[in-house]
Amino acid sequence: MNAPLAPVALQAKDFKSDYKPVWCPGCGDYSVLSAITKALAMLGLRRENVALVSGIGCSSRIPAYTTCYGFHGVHGRSLPAATGLKVARPDLTVLVASGDGDGYSIGGNHFLHACRRNVDLTYIVMDNHVYGMTKGQPSPTTEPNWDSKLSPGGTGVREFHPLVIALASGANFVARAFSGDPTGCAQIIAAAIRHPGFSFVEVLSPCVTFRPDQRGWKELVHPAPVEATDDPARAARRIMTDDGFNLGVLYRGNRPPYKTGAAAATRRVAELEAGFSLTESA
Ligand SMILES: Cc1ncc(C[n+]2csc(CCOP(=O)(O)OP(=O)(O)O)c2C)c(N)n1
Ligand code: SF4
């Protein structure tokens, strides 16, 4: 985070736009929106210095519901767009919003390389273990035995483990939050924004329409019993053996972030195009 602070502190409501979210009543994403706006207020940021980038999905609608700059892009492609933005405009605080389908399935490859590059981004994935927007197909984090109309008897395919994959790929900050605790979630998102490099926050955010069973998550979540470590192997071991409902910052790394702000482009597009011209010169 390197943006100038607001001269007069803004409140969470100042970061919410006038667009009324079209999410289903009870969807966890409402609380994630509140948590993001609370985190921006906590950090004293200005709206014009923050950009939210997303792909496609119910969760990816978030940029439109804020008063920051936003880019609602293509399914699975939020991270490349956000990386380009941050590299070109290092003065901006760049947040990326995604879902488990958008971020781990079609966008899975970008996830690995964003962790590895360690550009100073905050990646917030609203994980509901289902494709909500397209009406309930299983996603990479769906339990193998989840029986539904679109996956009778379950897929039988083991789940993807995003937090451990993020650690193995080089993410510099790894945390798990719960939408049902918007204050705790806001504190974790604020810590992620403050931490340099690629920060990954997996938010358990129930899809009450296609996964009504996830209403039970509020009984299962609990704070992580130990402080975050800076040792990725230890963090990975803890995460692999936890119950999946441990909340908090689980890993804080010390890797220097990718250096942004390289020399600005000095050549015009027309000059570059001329270099690729197929017309033979006399
Ligand atoms: C290239 C492409 N493939 C597929 C789709 C259809 N599609 C839109 S949203 C979505 C899944 C969204 O699921 P997730 O990211 O988990 O978000 P949620 O809706 O659950 O928040 C899919 C497959 C698309 N829009 N573009
Ligand atoms: S379908 Fe699920 S994820 Fe989408 S808005 Fe409704 S509850 Fe939320």
Side-chain angles (χ1 to χ4, degrees), residues 56-59 75 99-102 106 128 130-134:
I56 299 289
C58 300
S59 38
H75 191 42
D100 42 303
D102 184 77
I106 191 169
N128 52 19
V130 76
Y131 285 14
M133 181 172 264
T134 46

Side-chain angles (χ1 to χ4, degrees), residues 2-176:
N2 43 11
L5 302 183
V8 178
L10 299 176
Q11 296 175 10
K13 66 175 174 48
D14 299 318
F15 289 96
K16 282 196 182 169
S17 74
D18 293 335
Y19 290 108
K20 198 171 158 338
V22 293
W23 294 312
C24 309
C27 175
D29 296 350
Y30 285 98
S31 305
V32 182
L33 171 64
S34 291
I36 291 174
T37 57
K38 273 186 191 180
L40 297 175
M42 266 179 208
L43 295 170
L45 289 166
R46 301 183 194 208
R47 292 173 281 212
E48 65 273 26
N49 292 123
V50 180
L52 262 119
V53 178
S54 69
I56 299 289
C58 300
S59 38
S60 292
R61 291 182 184 273
I62 272 197
Y65 304 143
T66 77
T67 49
C68 305
Y69 284 111
F71 182 72
H72 187 188
V74 180
H75 191 42
R77 304 290 182 256
S78 58
L79 284 169
T83 301
L85 176 61
K86 182 67 187 180
V87 170
R89 288 286 309 273
D91 56 307
L92 293 177
T93 294
V94 181
L95 272 53
V96 193
S98 187
D100 42 303
D102 184 77
Y104 306 149
S105 191
I106 191 169
N109 193 33
H110 297 303
F111 177 43
L112 305 184
H113 295 285
C115 293
R116 184 173 73 84
R117 287 193 189 102
N118 202 24
V119 172
D120 188 15
L121 299 171
T122 299
Y123 189 39
I124 301 162
V125 178
M126 282 149 266
D127 191 348
N128 52 19
H129 303 183
V130 76
Y131 285 14
M133 181 172 264
T134 46
K135 304 211 179 303
Q137 299 88 349
S139 85
T141 48
T142 303
E143 304 79 349
N145 59 355
W146 182 59
D147 185 35
S148 74
K149 217 162 47 180
L150 296 176
S151 56
T155 61
V157 180
R158 67 164 279 172
E159 306 95 314
F160 186 87
H161 210 318
L163 296 150
V164 178
I165 289 167
L167 280 166
S169 310
N172 214 28
F173 178 105
V174 170
R176 189 190 282 123

